Amino acid sequence: MAEMKSMGVVGSGQMGSGIAQLGAMHGLDVWLIDSNPEALARASKSISSSIQRLVSKGQLSQAAGSSAMGHLRCTENLEELCSADVIIEAIVESEDVKRKLFLELDKIAKSSAILASNTSSISITRLAAATGRPHQVIGMHFMNPPPIMKLVEIVRGADTSDETFNATKALAERFGKTVICSQDYSGFIVNRILMPMINEAFLTLYTGVATKEDIDTGMKLGTNHPMGPLELADFIGLDVCLSIMKVLHAGLGDSKYAPCPLLVQYVDAGRLGRKRGIGVYDYRKVSEPPKAGTAKGKEAKGEKKETKKEEKKEEKKEEKKEEKKE
């Protein structure tokens, strides 16, 4: 297969926008697709800011940054993917929703196009079965955030061809990634190991073994993890963690993969992690008292003085009233 020149990405969330940024920065013409125009606008702004940060840090030239943005097109129209060499799906972690999309993409994409999924746990074989090209369907699981994390986990379905695997591996390496290859079993490699650890951290919190802070500190300082498991779960998204645990539980049939009730409860309550401002931890901004010496601090100090003056006046008035009564 010839070197890829164009790429479609479906889903403009954190993963989709990150993958689109990678493609654009490495010279591919990229179509970023989302049915939500507001999500597309946020993604475009996020990609632009991310590229600008790289330029300001000297990690990317101004010309390369401008070129990357010139390679990116944001659209709501799935039909525009008709000429893409590869299409990477990065939508919600639901097999039914993904299968419907793959069915649609199969009709739109050119016959030589590879259909890849960024799924972190769902069967590639079953997604491929929704298409008429199972030999050209593959898992291409990027880590979060895609522009920074060095790993791509490639997953071969039952019918994935060597040509498709080699072309996908070459694309990942073009992006500067290290590739690992997994067989098509629930959770693949990374999440088969990571998610049960996160679930166990929730169980440790749920059963009152320790506080969330001590659980995370224990894993960071005791096992040299850069983030604690509960902090990481908030970063990934608790809804995503729960979806993967459900896939592991159903696919592997072992009770050890049953999601922790506390994880289920948090998701039911809408506590999905950083993206919602609250998960295991609360990320919402709490207004702090102004510091002394700052403009606001001086202002607050002045207000306090005025308040004290008023209070003293009131006290004197009350004292005079009392004297008159006597």
Side-chain angles (χ1 to χ4, degrees), residues 3-7 19 22-23 26 28 85-88 114 116 140 142 152 154 164-177 179:
E3 186 181 65
M4 294 180 187
K5 295 180 180 177
S6 58
M7 178 175 90
I19 295 165
L22 273 173
H26 287 85
L28 276 79
D85 294 321
V86 60
I87 301 170
I88 302 173
I114 290 172
M140 193 178 190
F142 290 82
V152 169
I154 294 181
T164 297
F165 171 78
N166 292 333
T168 306
K169 184 173 182 285
L171 181 63
E173 288 171 347
R174 179 175 170 182
F175 291 164
K177 305 301 182 187
V179 171

Side-chain angles (χ1 to χ4, degrees), residues 62-170:
Q62 187 67 57
S66 300
S67 175
M69 288 307 296
H71 280 290
L72 179 68
R73 299 170 182 81
C74 296
T75 176
E76 298 167 55
N77 185 9
L78 210 59
E79 299 284 341
E80 291 192 37
L81 298 180
C82 60
S83 62
D85 294 321
V86 60
I87 301 170
I88 302 173
E89 165 275 310
I91 62 171
V92 63
E93 194 72 354
S94 161
E95 184 172 334
D96 289 341
V97 178
K98 288 181 189 291
R99 278 176 63 88
K100 285 175 187 172
L101 176 62
F102 269 75
L103 184 65
E104 207 170 343
L105 290 175
D106 190 38
K107 295 171 185 172
I108 293 167
K110 63 185 182 182
S111 60
S112 61
I114 290 172
L115 304 183
S117 175
N118 183 55
T119 180
S120 54
S121 60
I122 293 168
S123 168
I124 299 302
T125 301
R126 290 201 297 271
L127 294 180
T131 75
R133 62 178 90 191
H135 55 290
Q136 288 165 236
V137 176
I138 195 165
M140 193 178 190
H141 179 210
F142 290 82
M143 304 298 130
N144 189 19
I148 295 170
M149 299 297 278
K150 295 293 184 186
L151 187 73
V152 169
E153 188 176 43
I154 294 181
V155 186
R156 298 183 72 146
D159 296 315
T160 304
S161 69
D162 288 342
E163 187 181 16
T164 297
F165 171 78
N166 292 333
T168 306
K169 184 173 182 285

Side-chain angles (χ1 to χ4, degrees), residues 7 16-28 30 32 42-74 145-148:
M7 178 175 90
S17 60
I19 295 165
Q21 179 183 324
L22 273 173
M25 284 172 58
H26 287 85
L28 276 79
V30 179
L32 180 59
R42 283 195 301 271
S44 179
K45 187 178 177 182
S46 171
I47 293 168
S48 178
S49 299
S50 178
I51 287 173
Q52 203 51 52
R53 276 196 302 274
L54 292 173
V55 171
S56 64
K57 289 177 181 177
Q59 295 172 3
L60 196 69
S61 69
Q62 187 67 57
S66 300
S67 175
M69 288 307 296
H71 280 290
L72 179 68
R73 299 170 182 81
C74 296
I148 295 170

Side-chain angles (χ1 to χ4, degrees), residues 234-240 272-278:
D234 273 352
F235 183 75
I236 293 167
L238 302 194
D239 53 335
V240 176
L272 306 184
R274 282 182 174 273
K275 60 188 173 186
R276 285 287 178 86
I278 186 168

Side-chain angles (χ1 to χ4, degrees), residues 31 144 184 255 275 287:
W31 288 269
N144 189 19
D184 191 17
S255 61
K275 60 188 173 186
S287 56

